[in-house]
Structures are given as structure tokens and as C-alpha cells.
Amino acid sequence: MKNDLSYIVFTDFDGTISVNDIGDAMFEHFGSKEECCSVFDLYRSGVITARECWKRGCATVPSITESEIISFALEHAIDHWFHDFVSYCSGAGIRVVIVSDGFDSYIKPVLKREGLEWLPRFTNMLQFNSDGSMEPVFPHTDATCDRCANCKRNHVLTNSSDNHVIVYVGDGYSDRCPAGFADIVFAKNSLVNFCEANNITFHRFETFGDVLKKFRSIVENGKPRKRRTAELARKEIFMME
């Protein structure tokens, strides 16, 4: 029944929780900026998959250690409003889950610094070799869809239930797929254009301060409601399995 519905939030990390895209910046800093930018453009235009993008990106880095990546990551800030958003959700009993097509090697230390390491998260991983090279590891791929290295759609579907109103917060290419399966979408940057082109209702935001203000209003002044097209899309996926 609709009165039994509750909210669950899924959020991207790079450029959404973090102020800048740390993953892109990492490859551009330690690898070849020109090559990396070219690879990122190929990925975002749909020419290559995310897995191929990350493999090529890693290949541009001549030598690296995990400690160097951690030090680099800790130079980057997160949206300071994210703390308030998480606090509000925790107080309201609303689960917040991080889904990222980036890598835990830089995501984990940033969250730890912020005291937010306890938040559940699904990410890609990096393997560091004795010769100084690194390789991407993808523990959460999807057998039938290779758009993302870490299938955010699957995390959204498997970590929610029929009693959940799914909230998604994102900004980029890897957020397009999960946005189509969410009941409430908060979008910025290129995700805005995608939602507009595909008739996905969304709330525009710049910071988590904007997200918090709107989401609090939704939670406190209305009843949880599912988006019909998103609900049908979710059911279609489950029927195919």
C-alpha cells in the first residue's frame, strides 16, 4: 500500500558528493592528460565502454602507488552540504547508498576523512602491481549491459524493494541508466540534458543544499509516491530475468 512506502537514496560520488571529478583528475594528473581526455570523450560519446575507458586510462599511468592516490584524493573536497543531507536522512530513517563508476582507492580515504566511511557503497577497484602499474578491477559488471563498469542500475534494483520510493542523485554519463529507474531524480550537469531529452522528471541542483531543501519538503509535506514509468521499467527488468 502507498502508506507503507518509504524512501531510499542512491547517489553518485564523483562530481556529485565530491566537488570535482576525482577519478578524471587522477588519471589526468598521473597519466597523460591529452590521452586521458581523448579516452574520456570516446567513452562519453558511447564509442567505447566504461571498462575499456578505465583500462586505457590506467595504461597511461607509467608508475603509481596506492599511497600516492590516497594523498592526491585527500587534496579534494566534498560538497559540505552532503553532511547535512546524510544527517537528515539518518534522522528520518532513510538509507543513503553510494554508487560510483569510480574507484574505491580514492573514494574510501575521502569518505574516511569526512567520517562517512560507514555509508554503504558500490565501486570499482584498483589492483597495484609490483612493477608500478595498476589495473582496474570490476566486481559489479552486468552480463547484458556494458555501458558502465559498475552497474548502478543493478545496485538500485537489488538494494531496494517494492516498498521503496527510489531517489537518485547524479550528474553524469554513468547516471543516465539508474535515473530511468528512479522515482525521484536530482540532476545537474549532463544528466539534466539527458533527463530533458528522455522526459524524465527531475529536480535540478547545484549542491546537496539544494537537494536537502527539496527532499525535506517532499518527505515532510507529501506522501511517498512512485513514478509510474520508473516502476514499469523496474518490473520489466525483473520479468526478463
Side-chain angles (χ1 to χ4, degrees), residues 91-225:
I94 298 170
R95 191 173 186 231
V96 177
V97 181
I98 298 171
V99 287
S100 172
D101 214 21
F103 298 94
D104 210 50
S105 292
Y106 64 79
I107 294 173
K108 181 179 178 179
V110 171
L111 292 175
K112 185 176 181 179
R113 179 194 67 196
E114 301 293 331
L116 296 170
E117 190 182 359
W118 56 272
L119 286 171
R121 64 185 184 275
F122 298 94
T123 69
N124 299 313
M125 312 296 288
L126 286 173
Q127 174 181 302
F128 297 89
N129 302 318
S130 58
D131 63 357
S133 64
M134 66 178 179
E135 299 176 32
V137 178
F138 310 116
H140 305 296
T141 57
D142 182 80
T144 60
C145 177
D146 60 5
R147 173 181 292 178
C148 301
N150 176 29
C151 187
K152 296 183 179 183
R153 180 201 69 185
N154 286 355
H155 297 310
V156 168
L157 296 180
T158 58
N159 288 277
S160 61
S161 70
D162 288 340
N163 294 326
H164 280 128
V165 171
I166 298 171
V167 181
Y168 193 83
V169 188
D171 79 308
Y173 186 81
S174 67
D175 301 308
R176 295 180 177 186
C177 183
F181 295 89
D183 300 297
I184 300 172
V185 176
F186 289 92
K188 67 176 179 177
N189 298 335
S190 67
L191 186 59
V192 168
N193 298 331
F194 177 79
C195 290
E196 289 176 338
N198 290 273
N199 296 316
I200 296 173
T201 302
F202 69 96
H203 303 286
R204 191 188 297 263
F205 78 99
E206 292 299 326
T207 73
F208 266 94
D210 302 323
V211 179
L212 175 58
K213 181 179 180 181
K214 183 62 180 180
F215 187 50
R216 177 188 282 141
S217 176
I218 292 171
V219 172
E220 297 177 2
N221 298 319
K223 292 182 179 180
R225 294 193 309 171

